[in-house]
Amino acid sequence: MVGLVIVSHSRKLAEALASLIRGTGNEAIPMVATGGVGEGAQELGTDAGDIVDAIGSVYSDEGVLVLTDLGSAVLSAELALEFLPDEQKPHIRISSAPLVEGAVSAAVQIGLGSSLQDVELEARGGLVPKQEHLDQPETSSSSADTASGTETPSAASGSFGPETGNRVERVMTITNVHGLHARPAAKLIRLIGSFDADVEVSNLSRKLGPVSGRSLNRLSSLNVLQNERVRFSVSGPEAASLLDAVEALVDDNFGESEEQLESLPQPESKNPEGLIGISDGIAIGKAFLLTSHGFEAEKAFAEDRDTEARLFTEAVERVEADLAAKKRMLVSRLSEQELEIFDAHAILLRDPELFDETLRLIADGGYKAAYAWGLRVKKVSQAYETLSDAYLRQRAKDVRDVGVQLHDALIGKDGSGELLTGISSPVILFADDLTPTQTASFDFSIVKGVVTRFGGPTSHTAILCRALGIPAVGGFADMESVADGTMVIIDGKVGAVSIDPQEGELAEAREAERQKREELERLRQKAEEAAISIDGSLVEVFANIASPRDAELAIRNGAEGSGLFRTEFLFLNRKTAPTEEEQFGAFVKVGEAFGEKPVIIRTFDIGGDKQIDYMRLPSEANPFLGVRGLRLYETHRELFTAHIRAILRAAFSFNFQIMVPMVVEVDECIRIRSAIEEIHNDLEREGVKHRWPLPIGAMIETPAAALLAEKLASSVDFFSIGSNDLTQYVMAAERGNPDLVHFSDPLHPAVLSAIKLAVEAAHRQGKRIGVCGEMGSDRDGIAALLALGVDEISMSPAKIPEAKERIRSLDRSKLLSLLPRLEQEGSAKAIRSLLKELEEGR
Ligand code: PEP
Ligand code: MG
């Protein structure tokens, strides 16, 4: 049961309230009264230490609601929260509910076994029965203030008292299905902003308002639903023309056609279509919505208020630019309506309730921007949560989302790993998208599965999930329908997400998970053994790694070497680039894990979807076609030099090879070799121990490289096919785009032809060729690669035991003879069914 803590300046009052509650049939709930200070708590006052003890005495994972009387009691409760252990903090709520009515209402809910959220909502509605009985609903100004969380209207919000001066008014009926929700409200605000006029808006149907027409938050607090009547009261030089424009916008349904309205996200509905399994496996856990989580900014005071205000405004500008860039990037993927959410977020950033009030808190209270911003985000998002309309309540998520973005910009953070701090039970992470930086920073002993709206099977997020054996599903559009903490099952093989499953389904999923674990264990026992096909040909199985930690996992899973060390991951999640010494340390650790086995170290492949803030790379219209991989080395000479020095030095004791990403021409291979050789000469001059020469290879991941393989082969020592990029470039289909998944299949005949060209060219010139893209861990992919004759396959460490078993089950000679038939096929689908036929002996 949820616990209840009653805090009053008067211990007697708190205890009397507790006995009133017990006397009304709530004897069994965990409740404690505290307050008063001094000898025997006889004096009036509150003490944070007492509140900490009180919370501790009724604490459970179900949470604790703290109700206070006034003034410093609230501050003591907030201070108490800071003293509590981190893992308890998310389960404690300090409520703004009226003390007596709130406590009685909360107690009844607690007795019913309700969740903390429901108990809190009930407490906050504690005054409603009395107000209704006395026919005294909240006054218009206080309702606006309740939603905005301020006690007096802010200067920026204008005067919301009785009408004065030359105001003109018009009443209009809002016809949108969801009323004045975020997108139409954002349009309205943009329109109002283009006129020289002051606008106040009231919801006549609910007797709410007036509020400023320039604040998204205040407009939302009016809770305007379909067919409700709204009064626009306008003053100023352009008042009349503004009213006409508003009326035209309302008549036009805010530009939303009926068709579009139906496709708006429906909080209750789930649409399983379009889901993509991006990392195999079943996961069970509670939903954790990344975007809905806030941030903790410690209370701190600015050294200089003006500087703090400037830093805050600059951070807002950075987030605005970022939102605009995201919108540009997604123009081709999202509908006009979906894109408007970026505008709505940009408007939220400048909303007087957030922006102006944060500046006011900095100027008047002297707070640090992050803390002041945090206070406003909390107030405004909580205000949304109290609204009766489910759709408008969802806006709390937008406020928190914008809140996190700005907070991150303020503190210069990239990644949200620490958001999971304090969470200890397994979660399934829900997020619109995850950057590789974020994915890399999560604690995967807690994150059991990942569900994203964007991100296809060869996105780096998907690759990381596979590397870590974390099931993941992409293309999940209905984030709004998932409540935090709901039980979820995901199946990353077929791409299924089941929200709040029945007990039977849960039991089945647990059983499937258990069987899968057992099967993996069985294969792991055999993983040390070589992968020899039925007809006796040996295929080397290597691991793709991104850190020393992966290297250890790879060895445990039977890797015979590493075919790809994605070194750029050493550069992520940091504020500055790793030094030569740091990189050297990481390479040595990897070397120690692999011992004498070969390790192919790919020089850093930054760019594309792996952006690094501190490198300040210019934004590009098509990052995958931009300055990525080896194209960066000339302009980032120092970084490149430190990187190569670290590799050559570490290679002294290990069997390292160097591989270069994004090669498109012979000249690049010649230049890179001589650049590396120069670095070797420097080391030599300095008398630093290192290895030279060592094999230098090229990735075949661009169509240019595949077509030129014959020529490239003479200037490198080996090749490795990057099937992920090769597929995206051959198919002209961005690898992270879930709408293009059907084009992202490496078994497409065009991709297979490109691979064949490269394999034949390499072998003609006596060079080895491996594969390090995700194709190497796909069942059919392995069969096709055997048919094509590659020498080595490198894959996510978690996939090695299964892949070895797969190779053992195949007959390479049969596959080789199948090649001409594969080449006849016109689609990946046809090739996959031909391989299946072969497998079934048809
Ligand atoms: C590839 O493109 O297939 C590859 C292995 O490199 P990355 O996935 O890191 O781009
Ligand atoms: Mg690549």
Side-chain angles (χ1 to χ4, degrees):
M1 262 190 224
V2 172
L4 182 62
V5 173
I6 297 170
V7 184
S8 167
H9 280 65
S10 154
R11 172 66 67 93
K12 280 190 190 143
L13 175 59
E15 284 173 348
L17 179 52
S19 81
L20 170 73
I21 289 169
R22 286 202 187 90
T24 48
N26 297 296
E27 294 82 7
I29 68 165
M31 173 173 60
V32 60
T34 186
V37 290
E39 185 77 42
Q42 290 303 305
E43 291 166 37
L44 294 183
T46 51
D47 176 80
D50 288 347
I51 300 174
V52 171
D53 293 344
I55 291 173
S57 71
V58 291
Y59 180 82
S60 76
D61 279 353
E62 292 189 49
V64 175
L65 185 70
V66 181
L67 289 172
T68 68
D69 58 9
L70 47 154
S72 60
V74 184
L75 298 180
S76 301
E78 282 182 327
L79 191 60
L81 203 59
E82 285 178 23
F83 292 143
L84 287 170
D86 279 347
E87 65 275 12
Q88 290 190 2
K89 284 180 187 162
H91 305 293
I92 313 292
R93 294 271 168 83
I94 303 171
S95 173
S96 60
L99 183 62
V100 176
E101 290 85 350
V104 173
S105 308
V108 174
Q109 277 303 306
I110 293 173
L112 294 174
S114 302
S115 69
L116 178 59
Q117 192 181 359
D118 289 345
V119 172
E120 190 192 8
L121 271 178
E122 195 64 15
R124 279 203 247 156
L127 274 182
V128 172
K130 193 155 80 181
Q131 286 167 337
E132 282 181 356
H133 181 79
L134 297 172
D135 199 16
Q136 291 170 352
E138 283 184 276
T139 58
S140 52
S141 63
S142 74
S143 58
D145 293 341
T146 306
S148 67
T150 56
E151 266 131 39
T152 52
S154 69
S157 308
S159 160
F160 304 133
E163 284 170 21
T164 52
N166 294 332
R167 299 196 84 86
V168 279
E169 290 183 1
R170 216 171 284 176
V171 174
M172 303 174 207
T173 300
I174 304 297
T175 49
N176 303 47
V177 168
H178 290 290
L180 209 48
H181 63 83
R183 280 184 288 260
K187 275 197 173 160
L188 180 63
I189 291 168
R190 272 202 303 276
L191 181 77
I192 291 172
S194 63
F195 284 83
D196 183 4
D198 179 37
V199 186
E200 292 176 0
V201 187
S202 312
N203 181 347
L204 299 183
S205 304
R206 290 173 184 263
K207 301 196 187 77
L208 291 175
V211 299
S212 165
R214 290 179 190 273
S215 163
L216 188 60
N217 296 318
R218 286 190 170 244
L219 279 176
S220 298
S221 76
L222 295 178
N223 218 348
V224 178
L225 300 185
Q226 191 179 26
N227 295 329
E228 291 191 344
R229 289 168 59 246
V230 169
R231 182 177 60 211
F232 293 89
S233 171
V234 187
S235 65
E238 296 184 314
S241 35
L242 171 56
L243 269 184
D244 288 344
V246 170
E247 187 153 23
L249 188 66
V250 171
D251 284 350
D252 186 37
N253 231 355
F254 292 85
E256 292 183 333
S257 67
E258 285 310 316
E259 205 183 328
Q260 283 171 319
L261 289 171
E262 274 160 26
S263 68
L264 278 173
Q266 301 291 316
E268 312 73 31
S269 70
K270 287 183 216 119
N271 175 14
E273 276 167 32
L275 295 180
I276 317 153
I278 56 177
S279 174
D280 199 355
I282 291 171
I284 305 166
K286 290 193 172 164
F288 184 97
L289 279 98
L290 198 56
T291 43
S292 76
H293 282 267
F295 53 88
E296 285 295 324
E298 277 188 18
K299 188 167 185 171
F301 292 93
E303 275 167 25
D304 176 72
R305 295 177 192 206
D306 290 342
T307 311
E308 202 61 23
R310 182 176 52 74
L311 291 175
F312 171 66
T313 313
E314 283 171 3
V316 169
E317 284 163 6
R318 281 201 300 282
V319 177
E320 280 171 336
D322 189 48
L323 285 167
K326 270 191 196 145
K327 187 176 166 188
R328 273 199 308 278
M329 261 183 67
L330 293 169
V331 155
S332 57
R333 287 207 221 160
L334 302 185
S335 70
E336 190 56 15
Q337 222 177 21
E338 285 166 327
L339 286 169
E340 276 174 16
I341 200 67
F342 293 104
D343 297 335
H345 279 195
I347 286 175
L348 269 179
L349 274 174
R350 294 274 179 181
D351 193 289
E353 288 300 307
L354 292 168
F355 183 80
D356 294 3
E357 287 296 303
T358 299
L359 285 175
R360 191 182 62 75
L361 284 170
I362 295 170
D364 298 352
Y367 295 123
K368 277 251 187 218
Y371 180 68
W373 173 253
L375 288 179
R376 294 308 306 161
V377 168
K378 193 166 163 192
K379 283 245 154 74
V380 174
S381 59
Q382 280 177 352
Y384 273 108
E385 276 164 357
T386 63
L387 298 178
S388 60
D389 178 59
Y391 195 88
L392 287 175
R393 275 205 305 274
Q394 302 282 344
R395 301 287 66 78
K397 278 189 194 170
D398 289 325
V399 173
R400 279 194 293 258
D401 194 354
V402 169
V404 170
Q405 292 178 54
L406 185 67
H407 177 259
D408 286 357
L410 271 171
I411 64 167
K413 188 178 76 172
D414 181 14
S416 320
E418 53 274 46
L419 289 177
L420 291 171
T421 308
I423 306 284
S424 52
S425 51
V427 296
I428 307 289
L429 200 68
F430 282 74
D432 277 351
D433 203 357
L434 294 172
T435 61
T437 314
Q438 285 174 319
T439 315
S441 68
F442 289 129
D443 176 352
F444 281 94
S445 63
I446 293 169
V447 177
K448 293 293 170 200
V450 168
V451 179
T452 62
R453 192 193 298 259
F454 307 119
T458 53
S459 65
H460 282 101
T461 300
I463 292 173
L464 274 176
C465 287
R466 279 196 289 271
L468 292 152
I470 305 295
V473 175
F476 184 80
D478 204 8
M479 292 288 163
E480 314 261 310
S481 70
V482 186
D484 247 347
T486 318
M487 194 49 109
V488 177
I489 303 173
I490 69 168
D491 184 337
K493 189 179 177 98
V494 295
V497 176
S498 172
I499 312 279
D500 202 8
Q502 302 276 322
E503 199 38 58
E505 196 184 340
L506 259 179
E508 260 177 44
R510 287 198 183 107
E511 177 55 20
E513 210 191 10
R514 191 188 60 77
Q515 283 179 10
K516 175 113 195 160
R517 253 201 322 273
E518 275 180 15
E519 169 67 1
L520 272 180
E521 203 32 57
R522 188 184 68 77
L523 295 179
R524 216 170 266 144
Q525 309 284 332
K526 293 169 69 188
E528 291 287 320
E529 296 165 25
I532 301 174
S533 64
I534 294 178
D535 57 318
S537 53
L538 171 81
V539 182
E540 287 181 301
V541 179
F542 282 17
N544 294 344
I545 58 169
S547 67
R549 189 176 66 169
D550 289 352
E552 285 154 27
L553 179 66
I555 292 297
R556 279 204 303 278
N557 280 354
E560 291 150 13
S562 169
L564 169 66
F565 179 1
R566 288 187 168 97
T567 56
E568 58 277 6
F569 280 84
L570 301 175
F571 291 68
L572 301 178
N573 282 330
R574 324 172 39 106
K575 293 209 162 53
T576 53
T579 60
E580 179 185 324
E581 283 316 305
E582 283 176 278
Q583 295 184 56
F584 173 74
F587 296 141
V588 167
K589 277 200 190 132
V590 167
E592 282 167 355
F594 280 94
E596 289 177 359
K597 297 184 170 114
V599 176
I600 299 179
I601 301 191
R602 179 176 71 185
T603 48
F604 59 77
D605 182 16
I606 292 169
D609 63 343
K610 286 174 286 195
Q611 294 292 334
I612 290 180
D613 274 359
Y614 56 79
M615 286 186 63
R616 305 202 179 286
L617 301 175
S619 66
E620 299 173 304
N622 294 302
F624 278 120
L625 300 182
V627 185
R628 173 188 171 189
L630 118 116
R631 298 170 184 185
L632 272 169
Y633 301 163
E634 298 268 337
T635 47
H636 290 75
R637 207 65 201 187
E638 269 180 38
L639 221 54
F640 177 72
T641 304
H643 188 53
I644 299 294
R645 282 176 67 98
I647 299 174
L648 295 183
R649 284 174 53 205
F652 181 77
S653 319
F654 304 107
N655 186 0
F656 284 179
Q657 310 181 15
I658 291 181
M659 177 164 73
V660 189
M662 290 295 288
V663 169
V664 294
E665 57 188 15
V666 177
D667 238 23
E668 288 171 328
C669 299
I670 296 170
R671 280 206 311 274
I672 202 104
R673 185 182 287 275
S674 71
I676 297 174
E677 192 165 1
E678 258 176 48
I679 296 169
H680 139 71
N681 289 335
D682 288 344
L683 288 169
E684 192 80 3
R685 265 194 299 278
E686 293 164 27
V688 178
K689 276 197 301 200
H690 67 285
R691 179 187 294 272
W692 185 260
L694 78 184
I696 298 177
M699 289 200 71
I700 302 287
E701 56 182 347
T702 62
L707 291 166
L708 272 190
E710 191 85 46
K711 295 203 174 81
L712 290 175
S714 53
S715 49
V716 295
D717 300 306
F718 65 93
F719 285 142
S720 182
I721 295 162
S723 59
N724 306 330
D725 280 313
L726 187 60
T727 307
Q728 84 161 337
Y729 297 130
V730 166
M731 301 299 292
E734 191 191 289
R735 61 196 270 187
N737 188 336
D739 296 337
L740 300 177
V741 172
H742 53 299
F743 290 135
S744 299
D745 193 333
L747 276 96
H748 189 280
V751 183
L752 296 187
S753 297
I755 296 178
K756 185 166 173 264
L757 275 181
V759 174
E760 288 172 354
H763 286 167
R764 268 197 299 276
Q765 308 244 1
K767 304 278 158 86
R768 261 172 71 85
I769 180 161
V771 174
C772 58
E774 292 304 295
M775 183 180 186
S777 51
D778 176 304
R779 275 178 72 77
D780 296 334
I782 293 175
L785 290 171
L786 256 60
L788 289 162
V790 298
D791 303 305
E792 157 251 305
I793 305 182
S794 190
M795 64 198 66
S796 304
K799 293 285 180 189
I800 292 173
E802 279 171 278
K804 283 193 164 182
E805 190 69 359
R806 172 70 174 150
I807 293 167
R808 291 179 196 124
S809 75
L810 293 168
D811 186 332
R812 193 171 204 168
S813 55
K814 263 198 198 155
L815 285 166
L816 282 171
S817 59
L818 189 74
L819 194 56
R821 275 181 68 197
L822 290 182
E823 284 178 292
Q824 296 301 310
E825 298 297 345
S827 71
K829 201 168 157 201
I831 288 178
R832 285 187 186 274
S833 46
L834 193 59
L835 288 168
K836 197 165 175 33
E837 264 178 41
L838 177 83
E839 200 167 319
E840 289 165 0
R842 278 187 272 145

